[in-house]
Structures are given as structure tokens and as C-alpha cells.
Amino acid sequence: MKEYHVEKLSDLEIIYVEDDEADRHIFQIVFNKITKDSRITFIKNGEDFLDFFYKRNSYADRKLLQGKIVIFLDINLPGISGLGLLKKLNESQSLERSEPYPPIVMFSASKRDVDISDSNRWGATDYFVKPFSYQEMQSSLKTLLLRYLQNDILKETIL
């Protein structure tokens, strides 16, 4: 099996759906320590994410994202929850796209078994409980992304 290093984590396209400004800020700081060449698109709620994902309404003219894409969804979002988004994507995946979705990581403070099992049932690639320290978050995200590279989960995708 190939072994990958942090240098291989350049040029990622990250989409993070999170309504809490402090959580978005912390995520950006931590992610910038992992890789400097990646881009993060922050989306504040479920409805906006669906518009972004399907290129409609205010996102109808957005550029296509192409590359190694990872989507992070918070569970507790205003309007459609992260689990609701995951369920909608799972239900429409086979109907609307010829290629598979990018990896979707549920990124939540919730440790509830029902949230974890629902995430798995509705197609999340991983469930990640938000750590309480920068160092723990950096280490965990780096490990997760390197594992995705090693296991060929991070593939060129168009969104």
C-alpha cells in the first residue's frame, strides 16, 4: 500500500457547511496548518448548500469545482440539518449524477449513537466528533485526509 505525506494534501477543495462563525474560523486556522494550497468554501445552512451543490438560485453561475473535493457537514444547522442534507443527497445520488459524490464527513459535536448510525445509513463516508483542541483537530483531520489518499477515497471529482 502507498504511503502518503502531508505534501500530497495540496490542492484540496473543501466545502464546510457550518452555521457557527467561531467553528468556521477554527476550522480554517487548523486546515491552513495542514495544507496551504487548499481552498475552503464555507456555507452557513442546508438550503444554501443544496443550492451550491446543484448550482441553482444564487449559486447558478458558480464555477465548477474540480479536483480532490471533501464535504464536511455539521449536524445542527438552521433549516435542513446535516443529516437531512445527507439523506437528500443519498436519495438523489443515483438519479442525478453519473459519477459518485465526493467524500462526505459528518463533522459534529454530537456523540449520539443515533446520529452516527443515521449518518452511516445515509451514506456518510465518516463521522467525526469535533475535538476540543487545535492540536487534536489538526492531527485528526490530517490523519483522516491522509487515510483518504491512501485508500483512494480522494479522487478527482467535478461538482
Side-chain angles (χ1 to χ4, degrees):
M1 189 182 298
K2 295 182 201 175
E3 186 173 323
Y4 289 96
H5 300 283
V6 170
E7 305 85 48
K8 296 289 185 183
L9 291 177
S10 61
D11 296 326
L12 296 177
E13 292 282 350
I14 303 297
I15 302 163
Y16 184 27
V17 186
E18 170 62 69
D19 62 312
D20 186 270
E21 187 175 341
D23 283 355
R24 290 191 306 267
H25 181 72
I26 291 167
F27 187 89
Q28 177 136 30
I29 290 169
V30 167
F31 213 87
N32 286 341
K33 289 182 183 272
I34 297 171
T35 175
K36 305 242 185 274
D37 298 328
S38 296
R39 288 155 303 286
I40 303 173
T41 300
F42 291 107
I43 301 173
K44 296 179 182 178
N45 63 59
E47 290 84 3
D48 282 352
F49 172 73
L50 290 174
D51 287 347
F52 178 89
F53 193 86
Y54 292 113
K55 289 188 69 175
R56 61 187 189 201
N57 298 325
S58 63
Y59 293 100
D61 295 327
R62 77 162 171 84
K63 290 183 179 180
L64 283 175
L65 294 181
Q66 184 170 355
K68 295 176 274 186
I69 302 169
V70 181
I71 299 169
F72 289 86
L73 296 178
D74 184 29
I75 286 183
N76 297 313
L77 296 168
I80 303 171
S81 71
L83 289 172
L85 290 173
L86 188 59
K87 188 174 182 182
K88 284 180 179 288
L89 292 176
N90 186 44
E91 290 169 348
S92 68
Q93 183 170 7
S94 60
L95 302 175
E96 299 181 16
R97 287 179 58 95
S98 58
E99 63 182 72
Y101 289 156
I104 299 174
V105 179
M106 301 308 289
F107 195 64
S108 177
S110 172
K111 296 178 184 178
R112 296 175 3 148
D113 288 339
V114 67
D115 290 337
I116 296 168
S117 64
D118 284 349
S119 295
N120 291 331
R121 181 169 21 124
W122 292 328
T125 310
D126 268 298
Y127 191 98
F128 191 89
V129 177
K130 292 178 185 176
F132 292 102
S133 75
Y134 287 109
Q135 293 80 12
E136 185 182 5
M137 183 184 275
Q138 181 179 344
S139 174
S140 297
L141 283 174
K142 186 183 341 177
T143 299
L144 175 86
L145 294 170
L146 287 171
R147 180 172 47 87
Y148 281 8
L149 277 174
Q150 193 166 11
N151 294 326
D152 207 25
I153 294 170
L154 272 180
K155 298 179 181 185
E156 290 290 317
T157 306
I158 297 174
L159 184 66

